[in-house]
């Protein structure tokens, strides 16, 4: 019978379980009952890596990265010819290593996006938090105003939520700036 | 999010779960896409994403934890603590403000406690793929986790097909994908030795015994007990820090872990009560009736004594018992293991 190794959820002790769709074990160390659902992917062998085929005829298209190897597919992001070695299958999409690298850095390949900065949250905090120490708003209000406009078109969370935080930040910063301008005007007039 | 992403494919499968203190550890939510699950971690000014593709998931593990029990204990303590503060405000002169502060905080603690109890027991859940073992932080309550895992299971089995158990049983015994999990686990946890566990736990439980005995001796009227109790508090805190540093907890049974945690909470409760009452009474320049102060002190001391004695008894019993038998690896599986590791 095949077995699968899992770790106890609490103490990470290694547990050896017989392969079944739904199985259970008691950790010998912390006595926690660990329920495990096992799926078909656990029993599958890993697909061996492929090397590219050599060019036989000069007219054949060759791999962008390996000119001596025959192209088997094109990168679906940049369109470069790729051999079997350079082809990276990302959930049905064929990509080259260059696109993967640049996509991870610039968030251009969707499945590689691992995080974003929420500029609307920053803008809102920049206007709301300094109210606690009001004198800071002299500096933070114009900063928040410029920041909100600067990042107006930037992504706002995974689901690109509405821009109400930017709007509130702009309104609050305008009010704060107005307050300071009127205060300065009164001071100059007096 | 970039333009390639079709966000309409995602549907929420869990609510927002706050991991500990929201600002520090973030808020988690799990979504189901067309071909993967997405775990979103929302920090104050950023979001991070983890994708688990249906075709890659090998296993999902789910275990019940007892952290919910201790959270309920802490909330009970807070409710009692603020309730006592409110009573003190009523009893002591010029301390009416304590009635409002204590009453409001007691009410809030009770509401949180009721919500916490209504949500049910807590759990931990992990997803296994060929290269990683990743916690599903969005699943924190066992009832919700069971529902979500059933939903995930259906989606994964639809994508992968059923697990062919008949073939697996008929074929040569082997261990599936052992290398990745071993790498992940051995790197993250350094196990303490048995001698370390024995030493630390014996010292800890004996310190708890003394922490229980000394205040009782102080109540009887023995001099010098106050200073000694503070020294013992300090020593116990040092012991707890050492135990946490050496990760003693990972080598303890569930019963011993519970007793150690209960002892720590009792000690902290006694400490907080002691300090608060001293501060309040010095402000009010008043004395509590001996009965109330004595009853509180006696209550905490008794709890500490019970926990520590039970802990020592459990520990000595477990020492006498033979160690748990290692899980037998079939001969054929053991032979096949190096081959599987090379993959």
């Amino acid at each position: 019978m095949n077995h699968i190794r899992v770790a106890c959820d609490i103490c990470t002790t290694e547990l050896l379980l017989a392969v079944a769709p739904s199985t259970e074990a008691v950790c010998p160390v912390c006595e926690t009952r660990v329920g495990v659902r096992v799926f078909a992917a656990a029993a599958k062998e890993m697909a061996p890596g492929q090397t590219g085929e050599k060019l036989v005829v000069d007219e054949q298209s060759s791999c962008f990265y390996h000119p001596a190897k025959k192209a088997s597919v094109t990168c679906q992001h940049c369109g470069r010819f790729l051999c079997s070695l350079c082809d990276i299958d990302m959930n049905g999409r064929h990509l080259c290593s260059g696109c993967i690298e640049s996509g991870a850095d610039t968030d251009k390949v969707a499945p590689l996006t691992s995080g974003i900065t929420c500029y609307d949250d920053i803008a809102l905090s920049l206007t709301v938090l300094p109210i606690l120490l009001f004198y800071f708003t002299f500096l933070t209000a114009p900063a928040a105003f410029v920041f909100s406009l600067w990042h107006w078109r930037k992504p706002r969370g995974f689901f690109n939520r509405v821009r109400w935080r930017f709007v509130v930040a702009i309104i609050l910063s305008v009010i704060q700036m107005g307050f300071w301008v009127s205060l300065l005007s009164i001071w100059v007039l007096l | 999010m970039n333009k390639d992403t079709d966000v309409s494919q995602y549907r929420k499968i869990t609510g927002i779960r706050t991991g500990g203190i929201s600002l520090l550890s973030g808020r988690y939510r799990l979504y189901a896409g067309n071909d993967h699950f997405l775990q979103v971690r929302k920090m104050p000014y950023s979001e991070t994403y983890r994708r688990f593709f249906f075709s890659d998931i090998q296993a999902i593990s789910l275990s019940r934890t007892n952290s919910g029990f201790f959270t309920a204990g802490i909330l009970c303590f807070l409710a009692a603590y603020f309730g006592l503060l409110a009573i003190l405000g009523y009893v002591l002169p010029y301390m009416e403000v304590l009635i409002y502060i204590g009453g409001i905080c007691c009410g809030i603690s009770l509401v949180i406690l009721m919500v916490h109890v209504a949500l049910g027991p807590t759990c931990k859940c992990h997803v296994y793929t060929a290269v990683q073992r990743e916690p599903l932080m969005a699943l924190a309550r066992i009832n919700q986790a069971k529902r979500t895992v059933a939903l995930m299971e259906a989606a994964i089995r639809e994508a992968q097909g059923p697990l062919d158990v008949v073939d697996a049983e008929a074929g040569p015994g082997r261990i599936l994908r052992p290398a990745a999990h071993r790498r992940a686990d051995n790197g993250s946890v350094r196990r303490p030795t048995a001698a370390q566990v024995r030493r630390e736990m014996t010292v800890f439980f004996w310190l708890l015994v003394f922490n229980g005995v000394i205040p009782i001796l102080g109540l009887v009227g023995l001099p010098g007990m106050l200073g000694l109790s503070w020294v013992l508090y300090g020593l116990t805190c040092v012991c707890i820090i050492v135990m946490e540093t050496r990760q003693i907890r990972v080598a303890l049974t569930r019963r011993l872990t519970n007793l150690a945690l209960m002892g720590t909470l009792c000690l902290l409760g006694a400490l907080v009560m002691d300090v608060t009452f001293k501060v309040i009474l010095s402000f009010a320049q008043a004395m509590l009736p001996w009965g109330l102060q004595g009853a509180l002190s006696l209550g905490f001391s008794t709890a500490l004594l019970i926990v520590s004695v039970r802990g020592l008894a459990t520990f000595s019993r477990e020492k006498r018992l033979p160690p748990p038998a290692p899980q037998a690896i079939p001969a054929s599986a053991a032979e096949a293991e190096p081959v599987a590791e090379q993959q």
Side-chain angles (χ1 to χ4, degrees):
Chain A
M1 182 183 270
N2 290 345
H3 290 76
I4 185 165
R5 246 189 199 130
V6 294
C8 171
D9 287 320
I10 311 297
C11 67
T12 70
T13 302
E14 212 167 66
L15 305 171
L16 197 64
L17 303 170
V19 171
S22 181
T23 179
E24 204 175 65
V26 177
C27 174
V29 175
C30 67
E31 297 166 358
T32 305
R33 194 173 289 275
V34 185
V36 183
R37 305 279 201 285
V38 185
F39 302 105
K44 274 184 195 158
E45 294 293 336
M46 272 186 176
Q50 290 184 337
T51 55
E53 285 179 49
K54 281 186 180 172
L55 276 180
V56 183
V57 190
D58 283 347
E59 282 78 34
Q60 279 182 322
S61 53
S62 65
C63 171
F64 179 82
Y65 296 101
H66 303 98
K69 297 275 175 78
K70 196 169 115 182
S72 62
V73 71
T74 54
C75 173
Q76 289 181 353
H77 193 69
C78 65
R80 285 169 180 160
F81 287 121
L82 303 172
C83 64
S84 310
L85 183 66
C86 299
D87 170 29
I88 299 169
D89 185 355
M90 183 165 281
N91 210 40
R93 283 185 76 188
H94 296 277
L95 300 171
C96 67
S97 55
C99 287
I100 298 260
E101 194 181 352
S102 62
D105 290 343
T106 58
D107 293 348
K108 279 184 180 164
V109 181
L112 291 175
T113 310
S114 60
I116 58 166
T117 307
C118 302
Y119 293 102
D120 52 346
D121 283 331
I122 298 175
L124 192 63
S125 297
L126 206 55
T127 49
V128 172
L129 293 182
I131 293 174
L132 297 171
L133 295 165
F134 195 75
Y135 297 109
F136 283 109
T137 56
F138 183 75
L139 294 172
T140 56
F145 184 77
V146 173
F147 188 87
S148 302
L149 293 180
W150 192 265
H151 295 287
W152 182 258
R153 298 181 73 83
K154 291 275 174 67
R156 302 168 300 280
F158 189 80
F159 295 98
N160 227 4
R161 57 199 177 196
V162 290
R163 290 191 172 91
W164 72 263
R165 289 174 182 81
F166 274 141
V167 174
V168 171
I170 288 171
I171 292 170
L172 279 177
S173 58
V174 168
I175 291 170
Q176 288 167 4
M177 283 191 292
F179 172 80
W180 282 111
V181 168
S182 50
L183 202 71
L184 279 175
S185 312
I186 292 166
W187 183 65
V188 168
L189 286 173
L190 289 176
Chain B
M1 204 62 222
N2 69 62
K3 287 166 190 168
D4 291 353
T5 312
D6 173 23
V7 290
S8 62
Q9 67 171 303
Y10 294 105
R11 59 195 170 86
K12 296 166 199 165
I13 54 171
T14 64
I16 295 172
R17 185 249 164 144
T18 303
I21 304 164
S22 166
L23 279 175
L24 299 177
S25 55
R27 287 172 292 153
Y28 296 85
R29 189 166 222 173
L30 201 61
Y31 296 86
N34 291 336
D35 56 357
H36 65 276
F37 298 111
L38 176 80
Q39 182 168 258
V40 179
R41 183 189 187 195
K42 175 80 177 77
M43 299 294 282
Y45 303 119
S46 64
E47 280 181 359
T48 51
Y49 315 114
R50 288 270 179 187
R51 291 174 184 79
F52 307 104
F53 286 91
F54 296 162
S55 53
D56 295 339
I57 296 174
Q58 295 186 345
I60 297 175
S61 66
L62 180 67
S63 306
R64 186 175 164 159
T65 61
N66 51 9
S67 60
F69 173 72
F70 287 102
T71 309
I74 291 170
L75 286 169
C76 280
F77 169 75
L78 285 177
Y81 173 71
F82 287 118
L84 266 173
L85 277 191
I87 293 169
L88 276 185
Y90 190 72
V91 171
L92 296 173
Y94 314 117
M95 284 284 166
E96 285 82 8
V97 69
L98 282 182
I99 299 175
Y100 303 109
I101 295 173
I104 290 168
C105 293
C106 178
I108 292 171
S109 306
L110 282 174
V111 169
I112 297 173
L113 177 67
M114 278 159 63
V115 172
H116 174 72
V117 171
L119 285 171
T122 49
C123 70
K124 267 190 178 177
C125 192
H126 285 89
V127 167
Y128 290 79
T129 66
V131 292
Q132 65 175 340
R133 171 180 176 265
E134 193 67 27
L136 282 180
M137 297 296 284
L139 302 178
R141 303 286 174 166
I142 195 112
N143 299 329
Q144 171 220 28
K146 276 179 182 169
R147 281 197 305 271
T148 311
V149 167
L151 209 141
M152 292 170 83
E153 191 180 359
I156 295 165
R157 291 212 194 281
E158 197 184 329
Q160 294 184 8
L163 176 68
D164 206 346
V165 184
V166 180
D167 273 4
E169 283 178 359
R174 65 190 181 93
I175 298 171
L176 308 168
R177 303 269 187 276
H181 309 324
R182 191 175 293 165
R183 263 202 308 276
D185 300 337
N186 286 359
S188 58
V189 176
R190 185 176 57 81
R191 291 196 165 276
T193 60
Q196 274 177 343
V197 175
R198 198 177 306 128
R199 189 173 58 238
E200 306 290 342
M201 290 311 290
T202 312
V203 169
F204 175 70
F205 282 124
W206 274 113
L207 278 171
L208 286 191
V209 170
F210 287 120
N211 272 306
V213 169
I214 297 294
I216 294 174
L217 292 179
L219 282 178
V220 172
L222 220 64
M225 290 299 116
L226 184 67
L228 198 57
S229 68
W230 280 104
V231 171
L232 277 171
Y233 279 146
L235 282 176
T236 318
C237 288
V238 170
C239 184
I240 290 168
I241 291 167
V242 170
M243 281 161 64
E244 278 301 308
T245 313
R246 290 187 179 164
Q247 298 198 32
I248 297 290
R249 211 163 20 153
V250 298
L252 293 181
T253 59
R254 180 174 275 243
R255 193 177 295 117
L256 268 176
T257 312
N258 290 353
L259 285 168
L261 276 170
M262 275 156 69
T264 309
L265 289 181
C266 281
L267 193 71
L268 282 176
L271 192 66
V272 170
M273 284 281 185
D274 202 20
V275 170
T276 314
F277 286 151
K278 277 195 171 63
V279 170
I280 289 172
L281 292 178
S282 66
F283 267 115
Q285 294 184 336
M287 286 289 286
L288 270 182
W290 191 91
L292 180 60
Q293 208 165 1
L296 279 173
S297 186
L298 202 65
F300 276 111
S301 296
T302 314
L304 271 174
L305 278 175
I306 291 170
V307 166
S308 53
V309 168
R310 281 195 67 180
L312 282 171
T314 311
F315 189 57
S316 60
R317 192 170 64 239
E318 283 179 4
K319 257 197 308 188
R320 281 199 301 274
L321 289 174
Q327 292 186 318
I329 299 175
S332 51
E335 282 166 16
E337 190 177 348
V339 181
E341 274 186 26
Q342 281 169 14
Q343 289 170 0

